[in-house]
Amino acid sequence: MTDTTVATGLTVENWDAKFFTENMMANRFKREMGTSSKNIIQLKTDLTKKKGESITYALVNRLTGAGVTGSSTLEGNEEDMESRSFKLSVNKIRNAVRVAEVDEQFSAISLRQAGKEVLQDWMMEKTRDDIITALHQINGVAYGSASESQKDTWLTDNADRVLFGNAIGSGTDHSARLGAVTAAMKLGPEEVSLMKRMASTASPKIRPTRATEDERYFVLYCDSLTFRDFAANATITQANRDALARGKSNPLFAGGDLIWDGVIVKEIPDIPSLGQVGASNARVSAAFMCGAQAIGFAYAKRTTSKTEEFDYGDKVGVAVEEIRGIGKMV
């Protein structure tokens, strides 16, 4: 009797599928990812089924008109949806490890297993960093690469949705507004509520993401020190102590996300500081209040692995690659 064995090609496909799934599940932004236009990070996989170098997202604004009542005529009084679009380009992302036969004696498939953890950590961190870079983008340009002129233009275009410090200011000189932020301006419940009001009154309005039929939330991403200041605020501490369940699950003990005024505040330790660019060299960091369709995440090719022999078969390498794009929707 002959035992049934799994074909090598099928084993590789299973490994690739599991690698992709575990990589996405381990990502810090996973809870905000989804294929719906209601998700903060909207995933699209259209290019996995057809050729192309970019994906176009349809951005539809909320209707704000009053409509008609009674026997009033609707024809000719329809409201413009003001639909817009955002094109996101994709590119290849890859990395590899290589092992010599004298150090390890295993087949190509077991090498995939051996290198899985380090390659998966790299891909997860790459995805996380690309999302953070996208959040910082100035009209498609990385924040650190944007000129002062580009930052000023971006501020002019987004004056109703950019907050410096703890109060709505005026002026379109990005450096001047940044330089006015003081060390005393820390993230607290008042600042979060102010950002929510700005998001709700901006034109076009920023749509919250829907958790349930009756619950709608914005999500605020911030770095560790900003989150520390928010968590230590007396109002937030009292709210957690008095309004939430007692015991080890309370955020006072368990840590994790905090909620205030319909905003989920999330700590992302890898968000970098902008440096000592505030008043009197105050350290400043960016915090990102996000609604639906804040980030586009497009896949043209999900994670695949490849193996190759080098040096007359003495060394074997395994590589992982994806073709994807991540960008802030504008």
Side-chain angles (χ1 to χ4, degrees):
M1 182 172 64
T2 304
D3 293 336
T4 301
T5 58
V6 179
T8 300
L10 183 59
T11 304
V12 174
E13 289 180 8
N14 289 338
W15 186 94
D16 291 348
K18 187 175 181 181
F19 183 102
F20 176 81
T21 301
E22 291 180 354
N23 175 49
M24 296 302 291
M25 290 300 294
N27 192 285
R28 183 65 181 82
F29 295 92
K30 66 179 180 180
R31 291 187 179 181
E32 289 76 62
M33 291 182 180
T35 57
S36 169
S37 61
K38 298 175 183 178
N39 290 111
I40 287 175
I41 302 176
Q42 186 181 7
L43 292 167
K44 276 187 172 289
T45 59
D46 302 42
L47 293 182
T48 60
K49 303 179 181 68
K50 59 184 180 181
K51 299 294 184 181
E53 59 88 27
S54 64
I55 286 180
T56 299
Y57 288 79
L59 307 177
V60 181
N61 298 335
R62 293 172 59 183
L63 297 179
T64 58
V68 300
T69 58
S71 60
S72 300
T73 302
L74 179 60
E75 184 178 352
N77 293 305
E78 299 87 352
E79 185 174 352
D80 184 3
M81 287 197 305
E82 296 185 24
S83 59
R84 307 180 184 192
S85 64
F86 171 70
K87 186 168 75 171
L88 180 61
S89 298
V90 298
N91 207 343
K92 179 176 283 190
I93 308 294
R94 58 180 180 165
N95 203 353
V97 295
R98 180 159 53 172
V99 179
E101 184 181 23
V102 70
D103 297 321
E104 294 287 347
Q105 299 182 37
F106 41 48
S107 68
I109 297 302
S110 59
L111 175 60
R112 282 189 173 87
Q113 297 299 332
K116 178 181 179 180
E117 185 172 338
V118 292
L119 288 170
Q120 193 168 59
D121 284 346
W122 179 84
M123 189 67 79
M124 181 186 68
E125 291 171 1
K126 175 66 175 171
T127 301
R128 176 204 65 203
D129 292 346
D130 286 350
I131 292 174
I132 292 173
T133 298
L135 287 169
H136 282 86
Q137 283 177 344
I138 301 294
N139 289 337
V141 180
Y143 184 87
S145 302
S147 66
E148 285 303 312
S149 176
Q150 289 173 320
K151 291 176 182 177
D152 292 346
T153 299
W154 171 82
L155 181 55
T156 300
D157 294 340
N158 296 277
D160 57 350
R161 59 188 69 212
V162 181
L163 177 67
F164 290 87
N166 57 6
I168 298 175
S170 60
T172 57
D173 188 323
H174 178 275
S175 295
R177 296 283 300 276
L178 199 60
V181 178
T182 69
M185 295 177 177
K186 298 181 179 180
L187 183 67
E190 294 84 1
E191 289 73 29
V192 171
S193 294
L194 175 56
M195 282 188 272
K196 180 184 177 181
R197 288 197 300 274
M198 292 177 67
S200 300
T201 57
S203 179
K205 294 181 179 181
I206 299 175
R207 292 185 296 122
T209 183
R210 180 179 295 177
T212 65
E213 187 65 29
D214 298 320
E215 294 180 324
R216 291 170 174 79
Y217 291 99
F218 294 98
V219 173
L220 178 65
Y221 299 114
C222 59
D223 71 355
S224 294
L225 293 181
T226 304
F227 187 86
R228 175 205 64 186
D229 294 338
F230 182 75
N233 183 278
T235 300
I236 297 301
T237 301
Q238 183 177 359
N240 287 327
R241 182 175 62 244
D242 296 342
L244 295 181
R246 303 296 176 92
K248 294 181 179 179
S249 62
N250 190 287
L252 290 173
F253 302 101
D257 301 340
L258 297 172
I259 300 177
W260 178 261
D261 194 16
V263 179
I264 302 172
V265 182
K266 287 179 170 284
E267 178 185 10
I268 306 293
D270 305 281
I271 292 179
S273 166
L274 301 182
Q276 294 175 298
V277 294
S280 301
N281 295 320
R283 177 188 176 277
V284 180
S285 292
F288 304 96
M289 173 79 83
C290 297
Q293 291 187 300
I295 297 291
F297 195 145
Y299 269 104
K301 181 181 181 181
R302 294 191 174 190
T303 311
T304 57
S305 63
K306 296 178 180 179
T307 59
E308 188 170 346
E309 292 186 353
F310 306 89
D311 196 14
Y312 298 95
D314 181 65
K315 299 176 179 65
V316 181
V318 60
V320 291
E321 63 182 32
E322 298 177 342
I323 300 179
R324 60 156 173 80
I326 299 175
K328 180 162 61 178
M329 294 206 214
V330 296

